[in-house]
Amino acid sequence: MSTPTNINKILIERPSQDHLDNLGVSDWPIWTKEVSEFPWTYDEQETCYLLEGEVVVTPDGGEPVQIAKGDLVTFPAGMSCTWKIISNVRKHYQFG
C-alpha cells in the first residue's frame, strides 16, 4: 500500500520581511495557545508565521518537526499530526 508523498511534508522557511510583506502576513488572523499537546488534522493547507513560541509537530507515522519564532510553515491538506507546544504560541495563519 503506497502513501501519498506529500501528505506528511511540512515546509519550513525563514522568510525575509519582504517575503512576509508580499504574502500579506500581517493582515492574517492571529491564533494563540498555551503549552499543551493535542491531535490535529488539516482539512485544507495552512500557512502560518510564528510570532512567538516553540512547537514540535509529529505527523502520524512521520518524524517530529520543530518549529519556532520566525518560521513560516506550510502544512499540507489531509495531514494528521500531534502538536506539542513547548512554549506559548502566537502565530499568524491562513488556510487555503
Side-chain angles (χ1 to χ4, degrees):
M1 180 172 168
S2 66
T3 331
T5 41
N6 290 331
I7 196 153
N8 288 335
K9 185 155 176 63
I10 299 169
L11 176 63
I12 301 173
E13 303 173 69
R14 289 298 258 178
S16 65
Q17 188 58 52
D18 282 346
H19 186 52
L20 293 174
D21 292 344
N22 288 338
L23 291 172
V25 169
S26 62
D27 295 328
W28 296 355
I30 289 180
W31 181 81
T32 59
K33 183 74 173 168
E34 69 283 351
V35 172
S36 56
E37 187 169 346
F38 56 91
W40 188 255
T41 297
Y42 290 90
D43 294 330
E44 56 184 316
Q45 176 178 290
E46 178 188 346
T47 302
C48 66
Y49 179 69
L50 266 72
L51 299 165
E52 298 173 12
E54 184 180 343
V55 181
V56 175
V57 178
T58 306
D60 289 1
E63 295 297 314
V65 175
Q66 188 164 347
I67 58 176
K69 177 181 177 177
D71 287 341
L72 181 69
V73 186
T74 303
F75 299 99
M79 184 183 80
S80 292
C81 60
T82 299
W83 269 62
K84 183 174 184 180
I85 299 178
I86 308 300
S87 63
N88 294 354
V89 166
R90 186 168 173 261
K91 69 174 185 171
H92 282 293
Y93 69 94
Q94 180 176 51
F95 287 103

